[in-house]
Amino acid sequence: MLAPYACQPDASRGRLFQEKMSSFRSPFQRDRDRIIHSSAFRRLKHKTQVFVEHEGDYYRTRLTHSIEVAQVARTISGVLGLNTDLAEAIALAHDLGHTPFGHTGEDALGLLMEPYGGFDHNAQALRIVTRLERHYADFDGLNLTWESLEGIAKHNGPVVGPNADRKHEGPLPYALAEVNAAWDLELHTHASAEAQVAAIADDVAYSHHDLHDGLRSGLFTEDDLMELPVTGPAFEEVDRLYPGLEKMRRRHEALRRVFGRMVEDVIAVAQNRLAAAQPKSVDDIRHLGTTVIRFSKPLYQELKAIRSFLFHRMYRAPSVMEERARVTRFLNELFPLFMARPELLPAEWRADIEAARDEVTLARIVADYVAGMTDRFAIQEHARLLGGADQAMERR
């Protein structure tokens, strides 16, 4: 039984292109399945989370990250009486628009696209699910429900208006503006509780697995984590319960306690905020003017300390920065090459290129192509088109 403030599948606002209802799947289950079967979702297998895809088989990729986010989202949604299928769909789709090489690639493509309207991975995810996936006979994209599109667009909060984050100041990303012009996503309101759950699940997942991956990479040690809030007490508890535990088991036991602490905190805060607000519908959630899904203030402050540690010891570690510079160069050289010689794009892109009437349109097509590349394909194309074997691939 869903809570009254959950997104009810039989009350969905529907799809931009009307379709016959499935006889065995709800609209949100259908959205989830279409996302899983999309080309963009499969490509996440070879896209960077923090470490470039070829650096090791055990590090998270965008695909494994998205699966972990979806698992957290289903857990939290289930406890709160929300629609687990919608939360899962939004979680699985939230990173579809990421470039190769993670945030490094997004930063590079953002600078390259500044003269043409910029680049934003959330907006690009919308572009993918509304335009770039071209498998269905009756429409471009996946023809997702309004609720799923809303969740992708504003799971991190309103994009315009007084409640929007200051980072959204300025014109809307063109990809988001195009979708919103076709179907009003009410960008001034908060999203559904399911979308808010997907957003916090993203924070839970990466805060947990980046600690795992950082330890595996050797950029920091368990002793370093003993000095931090949340992680330190977790290791102390494991040492008290299991003295002398083997290293990898000790690590796993401690970090799963960190994971549990975050999930339990989110659930407790949500239950308290929902009890206080007494929302009667999903629209009540949208118009509360604040989020109902968040960390408690004490845990949020503790997680800020962990994220600061990860920023300095992992995301900006010298070896990571060296790799960031290398892959940024790849995109900085591929993008202008494709702009000058768009005929180098695969045959299925030719019709779009020929229909492009100006440089802005062409640049957005090239950005779609480059953003869709996997790490290894971008590395291979750079070597093929611009010469020189890639040193990292030679070392593999």
Side-chain angles (χ1 to χ4, degrees), residues 129-367:
V129 300
T130 59
R131 295 188 59 174
L132 299 182
E133 287 286 327
R134 296 175 179 173
H135 306 294
Y136 297 89
D138 294 324
F139 47 78
D140 286 342
L142 305 180
N143 199 31
L144 302 180
T145 61
W146 185 92
E147 291 79 8
S148 288
L149 295 179
E150 178 210 29
I152 297 170
K154 54 184 186 178
H155 58 275
N156 289 322
V159 182
V160 299
N163 293 317
D165 192 296
R166 292 184 63 183
K167 69 182 180 182
H168 295 306
E169 290 179 354
L172 286 177
Y174 66 86
L176 175 55
E178 288 177 353
V179 175
N180 195 60
W183 205 5
D184 183 8
L185 298 177
E186 301 176 2
L187 299 179
H188 63 288
T189 70
H190 284 275
S192 65
E194 286 84 356
Q196 294 179 37
V197 165
I200 205 80
D202 185 24
D203 290 346
V204 170
Y206 82 72
S207 296
H208 172 251
H209 63 52
D210 284 2
L211 291 168
H212 264 291
D213 285 353
L215 287 170
R216 180 173 287 278
S217 72
L219 292 174
F220 50 82
T221 68
E222 286 86 351
D223 288 344
D224 294 318
L225 298 188
M226 291 286 288
E227 303 299 319
L228 294 173
V230 186
T231 55
F235 275 99
E236 289 171 2
E237 180 182 13
V238 171
D239 290 343
R240 185 175 68 254
L241 295 174
Y242 306 100
L245 188 64
E246 184 267 324
K247 178 179 180 180
M248 297 301 289
R249 293 179 190 271
R250 176 177 181 255
R251 176 186 299 178
H252 179 79
E253 284 291 336
L255 293 185
R256 78 185 188 95
R257 282 165 170 75
V258 173
F259 182 89
R261 167 87 188 278
M262 289 188 285
V263 173
E264 290 166 4
D265 182 86
V266 169
I267 290 170
V269 170
Q271 288 172 332
N272 289 336
R273 293 177 73 82
L274 289 166
Q278 290 292 303
K280 300 297 190 296
S281 70
V282 63
D283 279 335
D284 285 351
I285 295 286
R286 293 186 175 108
H287 293 283
L288 278 177
T290 185
T291 55
V292 293
I293 312 296
R294 58 170 64 182
F295 293 114
S296 66
K297 289 182 179 179
L299 182 59
Y300 180 76
Q301 291 302 317
E302 291 178 328
L303 292 176
K304 280 181 66 176
I306 293 175
R307 289 166 185 164
S308 176
F309 171 84
L310 288 171
F311 181 85
H312 291 99
R313 295 292 298 273
M314 184 174 178
Y315 310 144
R316 293 297 182 267
S319 60
V320 174
M321 293 301 293
E322 180 181 348
E323 188 70 4
R324 282 171 60 93
R326 189 176 69 91
V327 299
T328 295
R329 176 173 60 84
F330 292 166
L331 297 190
N332 285 343
E333 293 175 356
L334 283 171
F335 185 88
L337 174 65
F338 292 135
M339 286 293 291
R341 298 182 59 192
E343 71 275 7
L344 292 175
L345 270 65
E348 58 265 32
W349 293 81
R350 301 287 164 75
D352 286 341
I353 291 168
E354 291 170 2
R357 298 182 179 180
D358 54 41
E359 188 178 25
V360 170
T361 306
L362 176 61
R364 292 176 179 180
I365 294 168
V366 171

